Amino acid sequence: MTEGYPDHWEADVVLSDGGTAHLRPIRPGDGEILREFHGRLSPESIYYRFFSPRPHLSDRDVEHFTTVDHDLRAALIATIGEEMVAVVRYDRLADRPETAEVAFLVEDAHQGRGLGPVLLEHIAAAARERGLRRFVASVLPENRRMTRVFREAGYRAEQRFEEGVIELVLDLEPTETSLEVMTAREHRAESRSIQRLLFPRSVAVIGASRAEHSVGQTVLRNLLAGDFTGPVYPVHPTAVAVAGVRAYASVLEIPDDVDLAVVAVRADAVHEVVQQCASKGVRGLIVVSSGFGEIGEEGRARQEELVRLARAYGMRVVGPNCLGIANTDSEVRLNATLAPTMPGRGPVGFFSQSGALGIAILQRTAERGLGLSTFVSAGNRGDVSGNDLLQYWEEDPATKAVLLYLESLGNPRKFARLARRLGRRKPIVAVKSGRSTQGVPIGHAARALTLPDHAVSALFEQAGVIRVEDLSELFDVAQLLAYQPLPAGDRVAIIDNSNSLGLLAQDEAVALGLDVRPRIDLGPRADADDYEAALAAALADDTVDAVVALFTPPTIGGFDIRVPEKILRLAAEAEKPIAATYLGTEGMPADLRVVGPDGMAAEGSVPSYPSPEDAVRAMAYVIRYAQWRKRPAGTTPNFEDVDRDRARTLVADRLAAGGGGPVELAPKEAAELLSCYGIELGDESPPGDAHAVPTRIVIREDPSFGALVSFGIADETAALLDDRAYRLSPLADVDAAEMIRAIRTAPLLLGHRGAKRVNLKALEELLLRASRLGYDLPEVARLELNPVMADASGVTVREVALTLDRPLGPRPELQPRRLT
């Protein structure tokens, strides 16, 4: 019998309609809510569960159902507010200790919201933790909804029909299909939860003060000025009206439904407001109030309670201490922010963690003429995060590119997974602050990163994220991605009417590793016809992938006002991107803008940069992203000689013998474990090839990113420069190949100064095998192969250091869905 309440089984989850619920193990004191739950069930639901009428639960039933040991018998319930809305349980079979009977029941009013699938995910994870390997479920044939839940879970299943009942046997080992099903459901649910926030039918502003320039009144006036398409309800304890709009004393007095509430009251009053919103049936909260995690421990506790209470009642929270959210869609026209300036409609989605910086970000976006689809400022990021927005923007047809200003990463492993998937369709451009510290701003619900900043950049690159240096570069890259096509390669043509500008652009392009075609200097007397001919030729040239057009006021002769017209006409028809430095303007100048129906820049508009270097730098970022997107995703090889079962047994036995805590394996023990993955240690004699290069491979369990691989040359110089390549495990074949070539000392492996090139295939295979070992065995806290001697004939592992430790839990991607 397992002692103690397994509180790590508790979880907040997002349902398929975007609402939330809380899952937890059942308790002996849950008898009353269990009776109430049963009393709300239809006779049909009761019959499907018990195969007989059972209108009431006896005292004996209640005691039986609420008293479990979380091992032989376990049950999870889903609650919304104070009500129990669903339950799932398993009972281990006495004659088959690795098998349990499973059954669940969902209240009729909440069926179709995805409670059944998410409960099955969580009870399966709990069962695996307790050593169970399969579930048996008995379902009546007419109970099609329940049968579908089991069949669509993605587990390996067997089915038989006996005595009028369908019996399903589910193998609980996660499969590729079950993980794909879980990921797809998570995506739909989290995307829907954000859509509910961004497309409200009505908004209440709670704390809508009559004081000019107050937070509440500012949000209210911005909503009204933005011409929100639904009703807006100010909430004020005494005022009859605020900003000329009828006010209500509390959200409960509003006669109509309220979808979204903007909360602008004192921090110590937010708890009561959230409870009122829950009673009103509000779907989402934007908490612009400060006084939470950013002020210390007291505020952090208040913030955690805010999020706990909101999720318990089915609401998502943006904030607290945030700027707000905006949606420029004409069907909603939502400006629920503190920002006085809101950009027009455009193809860019923007997520910012900083509320204070958000106003400046929106101001600069508008000044550049860059249009936004949606904007979310998360503040302390107590609940809604950048990961949620990535889920939403992936399917949003109005968003072509995504911009992120990040101060912390709440779930880095998930961020990398989502970014890699989204990046194959839409570019993600990110600025991450804290390069020097890797710390977390006070108030953020996230842990500090332990990796060096260049390692974080490498992991961003692996996921296809365009990480830029600052906000200026963020906008520079965004305006090119938003309105111009992606380049097919890195061959760049430069057209100019100033030799000085052209040379600056050429120098920058060469420094960034671009293939610069012969520069076209039209001279100071160039007119519109000259630009048209040169640009048309460059766009038609099969050896050119992108064009940088530079135009400065001529020192000789007059300014031909037709130049921008010619550039714009050719750009509108081109399949290659064009960046310009046009008269030193920045953004989307009117002369180079294809005007959309709302007056904003539309596709085909040509972005302008104040300097040639800025234009080339933006183009280089876009070229590197386009090359990543064209790169095959690769495959994670499945080595047939790997003996995972033996490896797991060795690990379990050694940890059991260690008595708890980290265990350092002796060299022979480490060699035995490595041999399970086809990795053999060589002898200690010097390599036969004098040109063998010593390398170093490290696999470690990072608290934020999970299983992580690093690679580099094993010498003091490389260590001093921290010349290491980093990737998330498990590696795909293309990842291993890139890692070897990513380090600055890679030429030593590639035949530097006439030396023989090392056997790259053998080195790549060793990386792949070590990566797979680290991923399959989360108990491997650290594995270091150092040195690994690489030469033309192959690789030899000379020494190994291996530390085992008990993991905190299964891999994040193997865990059931939950809000973190």
Side-chain angles (χ1 to χ4, degrees):
M1 175 176 176
T2 299
E3 297 182 359
Y5 175 83
D7 54 8
H8 62 285
W9 290 358
E10 293 199 17
D12 293 320
V13 296
V14 183
L15 306 181
S16 59
D17 62 357
T20 59
H22 183 69
L23 305 187
R24 64 170 175 82
I26 202 164
R27 301 168 181 151
D30 289 328
E32 188 58 32
I33 64 171
L34 176 61
R35 289 184 189 276
E36 293 172 354
F37 164 71
H38 191 85
R40 294 191 300 269
L41 296 172
S42 68
E44 182 183 56
S45 292
I46 292 172
Y47 186 81
Y48 283 163
R49 168 63 180 89
F50 297 107
F51 297 0
S52 65
R54 191 179 291 196
H56 305 288
L57 294 179
S58 68
D59 292 344
R60 184 177 179 180
D61 289 334
V62 171
E63 182 180 5
H64 175 75
F65 289 140
T66 58
T67 305
V68 297
D69 64 359
H70 313 297
D71 183 16
L72 299 178
R73 299 177 61 244
L76 300 175
I77 65 171
T79 61
I80 297 178
E82 302 300 323
E83 292 185 345
M84 173 180 167
V85 296
V87 61
V88 63
R89 65 179 62 252
Y90 78 69
D91 291 84
R92 195 187 296 259
L93 300 181
D95 58 337
R96 287 179 283 168
E98 292 187 336
T99 303
E101 186 174 8
V102 67
F104 58 86
L105 187 54
V106 179
E107 184 179 332
D108 296 70
H110 294 277
Q111 291 178 8
R113 302 186 64 197
L115 276 163
V118 77
L119 282 169
L120 181 58
E121 288 176 21
H122 282 259
I123 199 68
R128 287 194 296 269
E129 181 182 318
R130 297 306 192 219
L132 287 165
R133 300 184 62 180
R134 63 191 63 84
F135 277 157
V136 176
S138 298
V139 185
L140 291 173
E142 57 266 36
N143 192 354
R144 295 183 180 87
R145 187 191 296 271
M146 200 64 61
T147 306
R148 188 163 58 248
V149 169
F150 288 117
R151 286 176 175 167
E152 295 179 356
Y155 297 111
R156 286 182 289 271
E158 298 177 4
Q159 175 181 322
R160 55 178 173 267
F161 187 78
E162 292 183 4
E163 299 181 357
V165 175
I166 298 173
E167 184 176 89
L168 294 165
V169 180
L170 303 181
D171 186 335
L172 297 182
E173 182 70 21
T175 66
E176 184 175 339
T177 301
S178 70
L179 295 176
E180 287 177 355
V181 167
M182 185 171 67
T183 298
R185 286 171 173 164
E186 173 194 66
H187 168 64
R188 289 192 297 270
E190 293 180 0
S191 174
R192 176 60 179 154
S193 74
I194 298 303
Q195 184 183 44
R196 297 204 317 178
L197 290 169
L198 291 170
F199 285 87
R201 293 164 297 183
S202 57
V203 180
V205 180
I206 305 173
S209 172
R210 299 182 66 181
E212 191 175 1
H213 304 307
S214 65
V215 171
Q217 188 180 101
T218 298
V219 176
L220 177 63
R221 289 191 179 278
N222 288 342
L223 276 164
L224 298 174
D227 195 23
F228 174 61
T229 54
V232 178
Y233 305 104
V235 175
H236 188 283
T238 59
V240 176
V242 179
V245 180
R246 179 185 174 182
Y248 297 86
S250 83
V251 70
L252 295 173
E253 295 186 15
I254 298 173
D256 302 312
D257 292 338
V258 175
D259 280 350
L260 180 67
V262 182
V263 181
V265 301
R266 298 186 324 273
D268 58 5
V270 168
H271 184 90
E272 180 182 358
V273 166
V274 174
Q275 288 182 316
Q276 292 174 351
C277 288
S279 298
K280 181 64 179 174
V282 173
R283 292 183 167 188
L285 303 174
I286 303 172
V287 182
V288 297
S289 308
S290 58
F292 290 88
E294 76 281 1
I295 67 170
E297 289 301 321
E298 178 185 353
R300 186 172 293 108
R302 186 183 293 132
Q303 179 171 307
E304 291 173 356
E305 178 61 15
L306 157 67
V307 173
R308 185 201 66 78
L309 185 63
R311 288 176 175 176
Y313 282 95
M315 297 179 286
R316 299 299 307 269
V317 180
V318 178
N321 189 34
C322 72
L323 185 71
I325 69 175
N327 184 354
T328 61
D329 192 302
S330 60
E331 294 185 3
V332 61
R333 292 196 292 272
L334 175 72
N335 180 10
T337 76
L338 296 170
T341 302
M342 181 56 56
R345 184 70 169 165
V348 175
F350 206 129
F351 174 82
S352 170
Q353 286 180 338
S354 171
L357 193 61
I359 292 177
I361 286 174
L362 290 174
Q363 179 69 33
R364 291 181 67 177
T365 305
E367 289 172 353
R368 289 205 180 206
L370 187 64
L372 295 184
S373 58
T374 42
F375 170 83
V376 174
S377 161
N380 292 358
R381 204 193 58 79
D383 177 23
V384 169
S385 69
N387 287 346
D388 292 302
L389 270 298
L390 294 184
Q391 299 275 36
Y392 171 75
W393 281 322
E394 183 175 352
E395 304 300 332
D396 178 28
T399 300
K400 180 181 177 182
V402 169
L403 306 186
L404 306 174
Y405 175 77
L406 303 174
E407 296 177 327
S408 64
L409 290 171
N411 188 336
R413 183 91 184 183
K414 182 175 179 179
F415 172 80
R417 169 170 60 85
L418 297 180
R420 179 182 288 202
R421 190 179 70 206
L422 173 59
R424 292 288 174 185
R425 299 175 55 191
K426 302 177 183 181
I428 304 168
V429 192
V431 171
K432 186 187 178 300
S433 63
R435 285 178 177 270
S436 59
T437 65
Q438 293 296 78
V440 174
I442 296 175
H444 280 220
R447 67 174 64 178
L449 301 181
T450 60
L451 295 177
D453 187 68
H454 71 87
V456 176
S457 292
L459 298 180
F460 274 30
E461 183 179 353
Q462 182 186 9
V465 177
I466 306 170
R467 185 179 183 184
V468 295
E469 296 292 327
D470 51 41
L471 288 174
S472 292
E473 287 192 350
L474 185 80
F475 292 118
D476 286 348
V477 176
Q479 61 195 32
L480 190 55
L481 290 168
Y483 303 108
Q484 288 291 304
L486 291 177
D490 65 350
R491 301 167 299 180
V492 179
I494 299 170
I495 302 172
D496 64 77
N497 68 338
S498 163
N499 188 57
S500 298
L501 290 182
L503 286 173
L504 288 172
Q506 180 173 315
D507 288 346
E508 185 70 10
V510 171
L512 293 171
L514 303 181
D515 182 355
V516 183
R517 313 312 295 161
R519 188 166 55 86
I520 305 170
D521 181 10
L522 301 176
R525 296 181 182 274
D527 60 14
D529 294 331
D530 296 324
Y531 265 92
E532 182 179 31
L535 185 56
L539 293 173
D541 188 344
D542 290 339
T543 67
V544 171
D545 300 308
V547 179
V548 176
L550 313 175
F551 180 74
T552 188
T555 57
I556 301 173
F559 167 37
D560 191 337
I561 60 173
R562 297 177 302 143
V563 169
E565 174 190 335
K566 301 291 187 180
I567 295 175
L568 191 60
R569 183 184 66 79
L570 289 170
E573 302 170 354
E575 296 181 357
K576 302 174 182 178
I578 302 173
T581 293
Y582 173 69
L583 302 178
T585 55
E586 181 178 58
M588 311 303 300
D591 288 349
L592 292 176
R593 185 182 299 181
V594 175
V595 181
D598 55 357
M600 292 296 296
E603 188 171 351
S605 298
V606 178
S608 178
Y609 301 84
S611 75
E613 296 94 332
D614 292 337
V616 171
R617 199 175 301 117
M619 187 66 78
Y621 277 119
V622 173
I623 286 172
R624 285 196 289 270
Y625 164 71
Q627 290 174 330
W628 174 87
R629 193 154 127 172
K630 289 174 64 177
R631 187 199 79 175
T635 58
T636 302
N638 184 22
F639 297 106
E640 294 183 359
D641 59 343
V642 168
D643 191 344
R644 291 180 181 83
D645 292 338
R646 178 166 164 257
R648 288 168 178 156
T649 300
L650 290 172
V651 168
D653 291 347
R654 190 62 186 85
L655 282 173
V663 175
E664 302 284 344
L665 294 193
K668 288 186 177 179
E669 293 174 321
E672 185 178 5
L673 182 58
L674 290 175
S675 69
C676 296
Y677 280 79
I679 302 172
E680 304 297 334
L681 268 64
D683 57 42
E684 298 181 359
S685 60
D689 189 341
H691 297 289
V693 182
T695 64
R696 175 174 176 260
I697 297 172
V698 176
I699 314 293
R700 72 182 179 92
E701 194 71 14
D702 182 81
S704 297
F705 286 95
L708 199 65
V709 186
S710 68
F711 171 80
I713 300 296
D715 65 17
E716 292 184 2
T717 302
L720 181 65
L721 298 174
D722 197 15
D723 185 20
R724 303 281 182 262
Y726 293 84
R727 295 292 186 273
L728 294 179
S729 180
L731 296 178
D733 48 9
V734 293
D735 295 324
E738 284 185 351
M739 285 189 79
I740 294 171
R741 295 159 177 81
I743 57 176
R744 285 168 284 176
T745 45
L748 296 175
L749 303 168
L750 303 177
H752 182 59
R753 292 188 175 180
K756 290 183 179 179
R757 176 187 288 243
V758 307
N759 188 328
L760 296 176
K761 289 297 182 184
L763 194 53
E764 290 168 14
E765 182 177 330
L766 178 59
L767 272 168
L768 291 167
R769 287 180 178 274
S771 158
R772 189 76 243 184
L773 182 153
Y775 183 78
D776 288 348
L777 307 173
E779 299 86 356
V780 175
R782 181 180 175 86
L783 166 64
E784 181 171 348
L785 307 178
N786 180 23
V788 175
M789 305 305 296
D791 59 24
S793 64
V795 295
T796 303
V797 180
R798 294 295 186 203
E799 296 183 22
V800 59
L802 203 160
T803 303
L804 301 179
D805 201 358
R806 298 188 185 279
L808 296 177
R811 295 276 178 228
E813 51 269 50
L814 301 180
Q815 294 179 353
R817 293 173 279 157
R818 66 174 61 211
L819 282 167
T820 55

